[in-house]
Amino acid sequence: ACSRSSGINAEWPLRPGVELESAGTDLSSNMQNLETKVESVGKTWSAGSYCIMANGDCPVGFTRIEGHIKALSTYSADSNYIKQAHFGSSYIGCHGHCGQHPHWFADIGIVTCCK
């Protein structure tokens, strides 16, 4: 058994489940508090005027701004000249079906959220 002179609580070996249960409850509570703090940090935006790429609706306090260029003339409609992709709500792609309109192959659409 542990002695009091060692600095260890002599009662602990008699009630190990109580201390562990209490520690588990404290740890769980601390984890929930940390998760709440992390979530609230992720919902705030830095001060100033700037834009971010849109991905669906804009966050509160931001205004959606959209622009596009359609029917760009490119040398060819193949993947060496047009690599189709989506970036959130923005895109680069073929105008209609790739190669559908001679010489007018590409579209670019940019969607931002600005404040």
Side-chain angles (χ1 to χ4, degrees), residues 12 15-22:
W12 185 82
R15 301 178 15 207
V18 173
E19 284 82 4
L20 290 177
E21 186 176 309
S22 176

Side-chain angles (χ1 to χ4, degrees), residues 26-41:
D26 290 345
L27 181 59
S28 177
S29 176
N30 287 340
M31 288 296 293
Q32 287 176 339
N33 289 339
L34 182 59
E35 288 173 3
T36 300
K37 288 178 183 177
V38 169
E39 287 175 8
S40 67
V41 168

Side-chain angles (χ1 to χ4, degrees), residues 8-78:
I8 298 174
N9 183 347
E11 293 180 19
W12 185 82
L14 302 176
R15 301 178 15 207
V18 173
E19 284 82 4
L20 290 177
E21 186 176 309
S22 176
T25 301
D26 290 345
L27 181 59
S28 177
S29 176
N30 287 340
M31 288 296 293
Q32 287 176 339
N33 289 339
L34 182 59
E35 288 173 3
T36 300
K37 288 178 183 177
V38 169
E39 287 175 8
S40 67
V41 168
K43 294 179 181 176
T44 61
W45 292 93
S46 301
S49 297
Y50 55 92
C51 296
I52 57 174
M53 299 294 288
N55 187 17
D57 293 336
C58 290
V60 173
F62 285 77
T63 301
R64 186 179 186 93
I65 300 175
E66 301 182 39
H68 64 261
I69 300 174
K70 295 193 177 217
L72 288 167
S73 178
T74 59
Y75 181 76
S76 176
D78 68 41

Side-chain angles (χ1 to χ4, degrees), residues 16 67 71 90:
S90 299

Side-chain angles (χ1 to χ4, degrees), residues 57-111:
D57 293 336
C58 290
V60 173
F62 285 77
T63 301
R64 186 179 186 93
I65 300 175
E66 301 182 39
H68 64 261
I69 300 174
K70 295 193 177 217
L72 288 167
S73 178
T74 59
Y75 181 76
S76 176
D78 68 41
S79 62
N80 290 320
Y81 296 92
I82 303 170
K83 183 175 180 183
Q84 298 189 84
H86 284 316
F87 312 95
S89 299
S90 299
Y91 65 91
I92 296 172
C94 290
H95 183 67
H97 301 293
C98 284
Q100 176 183 356
H101 306 285
H103 306 291
W104 311 106
F105 298 125
D107 289 342
I108 300 172
I110 300 172
V111 185

